[in-house]
CSV table of all heavy atoms in Angstrom, one decimal:
chain,number,residue,atom,x,y,z
A,1,ARG,N,81.5,-1.3,-40.7
A,1,ARG,CA,81.9,0.1,-40.8
A,1,ARG,C,83.4,0.2,-41.2
A,1,ARG,O,84.2,-0.3,-40.4
A,1,ARG,CB,81.7,0.9,-39.5
A,1,ARG,CG,80.2,1.1,-39.2
A,1,ARG,CD,80.0,2.0,-38.0
A,1,ARG,NE,78.6,2.2,-37.8
A,1,ARG,CZ,78.0,2.0,-36.7
A,1,ARG,NH1,78.7,1.6,-35.6
A,1,ARG,NH2,76.7,2.2,-36.5
A,2,PHE,N,83.7,0.7,-42.3
A,2,PHE,CA,85.1,0.8,-42.8
A,2,PHE,C,85.8,1.9,-42.2
A,2,PHE,O,85.4,3.1,-42.2
A,2,PHE,CB,85.1,0.9,-44.3
A,2,PHE,CG,84.5,-0.3,-45.0
A,2,PHE,CD1,83.9,-0.1,-46.3
A,2,PHE,CD2,84.4,-1.6,-44.5
A,2,PHE,CE1,83.3,-1.2,-47.0
A,2,PHE,CE2,83.9,-2.6,-45.2
A,2,PHE,CZ,83.3,-2.4,-46.4
A,3,ARG,N,86.9,1.6,-41.5
A,3,ARG,CA,87.8,2.7,-41.0
A,3,ARG,C,88.8,3.2,-42.0
A,3,ARG,O,89.2,4.3,-41.9
A,3,ARG,CB,88.5,2.1,-39.7
A,3,ARG,CG,87.5,1.8,-38.6
A,3,ARG,CD,88.2,1.5,-37.3
A,3,ARG,NE,87.2,1.5,-36.3
A,3,ARG,CZ,87.2,0.7,-35.3
A,3,ARG,NH1,88.2,-0.2,-35.1
A,3,ARG,NH2,86.2,0.7,-34.4
A,4,ARG,N,89.2,2.3,-42.9
A,4,ARG,CA,90.1,2.7,-44.0
A,4,ARG,C,89.3,2.3,-45.3
A,4,ARG,O,89.5,1.2,-45.8
A,4,ARG,CB,91.4,2.0,-43.9
A,4,ARG,CG,92.1,2.4,-42.6
A,4,ARG,CD,93.6,2.0,-42.6
A,4,ARG,NE,94.3,2.4,-43.8
A,4,ARG,CZ,95.4,1.8,-44.1
A,4,ARG,NH1,95.9,0.8,-43.4
A,4,ARG,NH2,96.0,2.2,-45.2
A,5,PRO,N,88.4,3.2,-45.7
A,5,PRO,CA,87.4,2.8,-46.8
A,5,PRO,C,88.0,2.2,-48.0
A,5,PRO,O,87.5,1.1,-48.5
A,5,PRO,CB,86.7,4.1,-47.1
A,5,PRO,CG,86.9,4.9,-45.8
A,5,PRO,CD,88.2,4.6,-45.3
A,6,GLY,N,89.0,2.7,-48.6
A,6,GLY,CA,89.6,2.1,-49.8
A,6,GLY,C,90.1,0.7,-49.6
A,6,GLY,O,89.7,-0.2,-50.3
A,7,LEU,N,91.0,0.5,-48.6
A,7,LEU,CA,91.5,-0.8,-48.4
A,7,LEU,C,90.5,-1.7,-47.9
A,7,LEU,O,90.4,-2.9,-48.3
A,7,LEU,CB,92.7,-0.6,-47.3
A,7,LEU,CG,93.4,-1.9,-46.9
A,7,LEU,CD1,94.0,-2.6,-48.2
A,7,LEU,CD2,94.5,-1.6,-45.9
A,8,SER,N,89.6,-1.3,-47.0
A,8,SER,CA,88.6,-2.2,-46.4
A,8,SER,C,87.6,-2.7,-47.5
A,8,SER,O,87.3,-3.8,-47.6
A,8,SER,CB,87.8,-1.4,-45.4
A,8,SER,OG,88.6,-1.0,-44.3
A,9,ARG,N,87.2,-1.8,-48.4
A,9,ARG,CA,86.3,-2.1,-49.5
A,9,ARG,C,87.0,-3.2,-50.4
A,9,ARG,O,86.4,-4.1,-50.8
A,9,ARG,CB,85.9,-0.9,-50.3
A,9,ARG,CG,84.7,-1.1,-51.2
A,9,ARG,CD,84.2,0.1,-51.8
A,9,ARG,NE,84.0,1.2,-50.9
A,9,ARG,CZ,83.0,1.4,-50.0
A,9,ARG,NH1,82.1,0.4,-49.9
A,9,ARG,NH2,82.9,2.4,-49.2
A,10,SER,N,88.3,-3.0,-50.7
A,10,SER,CA,89.0,-3.9,-51.5
A,10,SER,C,89.1,-5.3,-50.9
A,10,SER,O,88.9,-6.3,-51.6
A,10,SER,CB,90.5,-3.4,-51.8
A,10,SER,OG,90.4,-2.2,-52.5
A,11,ILE,N,89.4,-5.3,-49.6
A,11,ILE,CA,89.5,-6.6,-48.9
A,11,ILE,C,88.1,-7.3,-48.9
A,11,ILE,O,87.9,-8.5,-49.1
A,11,ILE,CB,90.1,-6.4,-47.5
A,11,ILE,CG1,91.5,-6.1,-47.6
A,11,ILE,CG2,89.9,-7.7,-46.6
A,11,ILE,CD1,92.2,-5.6,-46.3
A,12,TRP,N,87.0,-6.5,-48.6
A,12,TRP,CA,85.7,-7.1,-48.5
A,12,TRP,C,85.2,-7.5,-49.9
A,12,TRP,O,84.4,-8.5,-49.9
A,12,TRP,CB,84.7,-6.1,-47.9
A,12,TRP,CG,83.4,-6.8,-47.6
A,12,TRP,CD1,82.2,-6.6,-48.2
A,12,TRP,CD2,83.2,-7.8,-46.6
A,12,TRP,NE1,81.3,-7.4,-47.7
A,12,TRP,CE2,81.8,-8.2,-46.7
A,12,TRP,CE3,84.0,-8.5,-45.7
A,12,TRP,CZ2,81.3,-9.2,-45.9
A,12,TRP,CZ3,83.5,-9.5,-44.9
A,12,TRP,CH2,82.1,-9.8,-45.1
A,13,THR,N,85.7,-6.9,-50.9
A,13,THR,CA,85.3,-7.4,-52.3
A,13,THR,C,85.8,-8.9,-52.5
A,13,THR,O,85.1,-9.6,-53.1
A,13,THR,CB,86.0,-6.5,-53.3
A,13,THR,OG1,85.4,-5.2,-53.2
A,13,THR,CG2,85.7,-7.0,-54.7
A,14,LEU,N,86.9,-9.2,-51.8
A,14,LEU,CA,87.4,-10.6,-51.9
A,14,LEU,C,86.7,-11.5,-50.9
A,14,LEU,O,86.4,-12.7,-51.2
A,14,LEU,CB,88.9,-10.6,-51.7
A,14,LEU,CG,89.7,-9.8,-52.7
A,14,LEU,CD1,91.2,-9.8,-52.3
A,14,LEU,CD2,89.6,-10.4,-54.1
A,15,VAL,N,86.5,-11.0,-49.7
A,15,VAL,CA,86.0,-11.9,-48.6
A,15,VAL,C,84.5,-11.9,-48.6
A,15,VAL,O,83.9,-13.0,-48.3
A,15,VAL,CB,86.5,-11.3,-47.2
A,15,VAL,CG1,85.8,-12.1,-46.1
A,15,VAL,CG2,88.0,-11.4,-47.1
A,16,GLY,N,83.8,-10.9,-49.1
A,16,GLY,CA,82.4,-10.8,-49.1
A,16,GLY,C,81.7,-12.0,-49.7
A,16,GLY,O,80.7,-12.6,-49.2
A,17,PRO,N,82.1,-12.4,-50.9
A,17,PRO,CA,81.4,-13.6,-51.5
A,17,PRO,C,81.6,-14.9,-50.7
A,17,PRO,O,80.6,-15.7,-50.7
A,17,PRO,CB,82.2,-13.7,-52.9
A,17,PRO,CG,82.7,-12.3,-53.2
A,17,PRO,CD,83.0,-11.8,-51.8
A,18,ILE,N,82.7,-15.0,-50.1
A,18,ILE,CA,82.9,-16.2,-49.2
A,18,ILE,C,81.9,-16.1,-48.0
A,18,ILE,O,81.2,-17.1,-47.7
A,18,ILE,CB,84.3,-16.3,-48.7
A,18,ILE,CG1,85.3,-16.5,-49.8
A,18,ILE,CG2,84.4,-17.4,-47.6
A,18,ILE,CD1,86.7,-16.3,-49.5
A,19,HIS,N,81.8,-14.9,-47.4
A,19,HIS,CA,80.8,-14.7,-46.3
A,19,HIS,C,79.4,-15.0,-46.8
A,19,HIS,O,78.6,-15.7,-46.1
A,19,HIS,CB,80.9,-13.2,-45.8
A,19,HIS,CG,79.8,-12.8,-45.0
A,19,HIS,ND1,79.6,-13.2,-43.7
A,19,HIS,CD2,78.7,-12.0,-45.4
A,19,HIS,CE1,78.5,-12.6,-43.3
A,19,HIS,NE2,77.9,-11.9,-44.2
A,20,ARG,N,79.0,-14.5,-47.9
A,20,ARG,CA,77.6,-14.6,-48.4
A,20,ARG,C,77.3,-16.1,-48.7
A,20,ARG,O,76.1,-16.5,-48.7
A,20,ARG,CB,77.3,-13.7,-49.6
A,20,ARG,CG,77.3,-12.2,-49.1
A,20,ARG,CD,76.9,-11.3,-50.2
A,20,ARG,NE,77.9,-11.2,-51.3
A,20,ARG,CZ,78.9,-10.4,-51.2
A,20,ARG,NH1,79.1,-9.6,-50.2
A,20,ARG,NH2,79.8,-10.3,-52.2
A,21,LEU,N,78.3,-16.9,-49.0
A,21,LEU,CA,78.1,-18.3,-49.3
A,21,LEU,C,78.1,-19.1,-48.0
A,21,LEU,O,77.3,-19.9,-47.7
A,21,LEU,CB,79.2,-18.8,-50.2
A,21,LEU,CG,79.2,-20.3,-50.6
A,21,LEU,CD1,78.0,-20.5,-51.5
A,21,LEU,CD2,80.5,-20.6,-51.3
A,22,ALA,N,79.1,-18.8,-47.1
A,22,ALA,CA,79.2,-19.6,-45.9
A,22,ALA,C,78.3,-19.2,-44.7
A,22,ALA,O,77.8,-20.1,-44.1
A,22,ALA,CB,80.7,-19.4,-45.3
A,23,ALA,N,78.0,-18.0,-44.5
A,23,ALA,CA,77.2,-17.5,-43.4
A,23,ALA,C,75.8,-18.2,-43.3
A,23,ALA,O,75.4,-18.8,-42.3
A,23,ALA,CB,77.0,-16.0,-43.3
A,24,PRO,N,75.0,-18.2,-44.4
A,24,PRO,CA,73.7,-18.9,-44.3
A,24,PRO,C,73.8,-20.4,-44.1
A,24,PRO,O,73.0,-21.0,-43.4
A,24,PRO,CB,73.1,-18.6,-45.7
A,24,PRO,CG,73.9,-17.6,-46.4
A,24,PRO,CD,75.2,-17.5,-45.7
A,25,ARG,N,74.8,-21.0,-44.7
A,25,ARG,CA,75.0,-22.4,-44.5
A,25,ARG,C,75.4,-22.8,-43.1
A,25,ARG,O,74.9,-23.7,-42.5
A,25,ARG,CB,76.1,-23.0,-45.5
A,25,ARG,CG,75.5,-23.1,-46.9
A,25,ARG,CD,76.6,-23.4,-47.9
A,25,ARG,NE,76.1,-23.6,-49.2
A,25,ARG,CZ,75.7,-22.6,-50.0
A,25,ARG,NH1,75.7,-21.4,-49.6
A,25,ARG,NH2,75.2,-22.9,-51.2
A,26,LEU,N,76.3,-22.0,-42.5
A,26,LEU,CA,76.7,-22.2,-41.1
A,26,LEU,C,75.5,-22.0,-40.2
A,26,LEU,O,75.3,-22.8,-39.2
A,26,LEU,CB,77.8,-21.3,-40.7
A,26,LEU,CG,79.2,-21.6,-41.3
A,26,LEU,CD1,80.2,-20.5,-41.0
A,26,LEU,CD2,79.7,-22.9,-40.9
A,27,MET,N,74.7,-21.0,-40.4
A,27,MET,CA,73.5,-20.7,-39.6
A,27,MET,C,72.5,-21.8,-39.7
A,27,MET,O,71.9,-22.2,-38.7
A,27,MET,CB,72.9,-19.3,-40.0
A,27,MET,CG,71.9,-18.8,-39.0
A,27,MET,SD,71.5,-17.1,-39.4
A,27,MET,CE,70.4,-17.3,-40.7
A,28,GLU,N,72.2,-22.3,-40.9
A,28,GLU,CA,71.3,-23.3,-41.1
A,28,GLU,C,71.7,-24.6,-40.4
A,28,GLU,O,70.9,-25.3,-39.7
A,28,GLU,CB,71.1,-23.6,-42.6
A,28,GLU,CG,70.3,-24.9,-43.0
A,28,GLU,CD,68.8,-24.8,-42.6
A,28,GLU,OE1,68.3,-23.7,-42.7
A,28,GLU,OE2,68.2,-25.8,-42.3
A,29,ARG,N,73.0,-24.9,-40.5
A,29,ARG,CA,73.5,-26.1,-39.9
A,29,ARG,C,73.4,-26.0,-38.4
A,29,ARG,O,73.0,-27.0,-37.7
A,29,ARG,CB,75.0,-26.3,-40.3
A,29,ARG,CG,75.7,-27.5,-39.8
A,29,ARG,CD,77.1,-27.5,-40.5
A,29,ARG,NE,77.7,-28.7,-40.2
A,29,ARG,CZ,78.5,-29.0,-39.1
A,29,ARG,NH1,78.6,-28.0,-38.2
A,29,ARG,NH2,79.0,-30.1,-38.9
A,30,ALA,N,73.7,-24.9,-37.8
A,30,ALA,CA,73.6,-24.7,-36.4
A,30,ALA,C,72.2,-24.7,-35.9
A,30,ALA,O,71.8,-25.3,-34.9
A,30,ALA,CB,74.3,-23.4,-36.0
A,31,ALA,N,71.3,-24.1,-36.7
A,31,ALA,CA,69.8,-24.0,-36.3
A,31,ALA,C,69.2,-25.4,-36.3
A,31,ALA,O,68.3,-25.7,-35.5
A,31,ALA,CB,69.1,-23.1,-37.2
A,32,ARG,N,69.7,-26.3,-37.2
A,32,ARG,CA,69.2,-27.7,-37.2
A,32,ARG,C,69.8,-28.5,-36.1
A,32,ARG,O,69.4,-29.7,-35.9
A,32,ARG,CB,69.5,-28.3,-38.6
A,32,ARG,CG,68.6,-27.8,-39.7
A,32,ARG,CD,69.0,-28.6,-41.0
A,32,ARG,NE,70.4,-28.4,-41.2
A,32,ARG,CZ,71.2,-29.1,-42.0
A,32,ARG,NH1,70.6,-30.1,-42.7
A,32,ARG,NH2,72.4,-28.9,-42.1
A,33,GLY,N,70.8,-28.0,-35.4
A,33,GLY,CA,71.4,-28.7,-34.4
A,33,GLY,C,72.5,-29.7,-34.9
A,33,GLY,O,72.9,-30.6,-34.1
A,34,VAL,N,73.0,-29.5,-36.1
A,34,VAL,CA,74.0,-30.4,-36.6
A,34,VAL,C,75.4,-30.0,-36.0
A,34,VAL,O,76.2,-30.9,-35.8
A,34,VAL,CB,74.1,-30.2,-38.2
A,34,VAL,CG1,75.2,-31.0,-38.7
A,34,VAL,CG2,72.8,-30.7,-38.8
A,35,ALA,N,75.6,-28.8,-35.7
A,35,ALA,CA,76.9,-28.4,-35.2
A,35,ALA,C,77.1,-28.9,-33.8
A,35,ALA,O,76.3,-29.2,-33.1
A,35,ALA,CB,77.0,-26.8,-35.2
């Protein structure tokens, strides 16, 4: 939930792709018990 929509959206535009790449990989690794 963006509290400062313009700035938040701009920042998420940069961070979002990293999140969408990393989150599933971290979850998969942890679920397999690798972490």
Side-chain angles (χ1 to χ4, degrees):
R1 287 190 180 125
F2 298 152
R3 293 189 169 145
R4 298 195 49 204
L7 181 57
S8 299
R9 194 171 314 283
S10 296
I11 291 170
W12 189 249
T13 297
L14 299 172
V15 175
I18 298 167
H19 162 77
R20 289 185 292 276
L21 182 67
R25 285 173 176 75
L26 291 171
M27 194 168 77
E28 170 69 31
R29 186 174 187 272
R32 286 183 305 164
V34 174

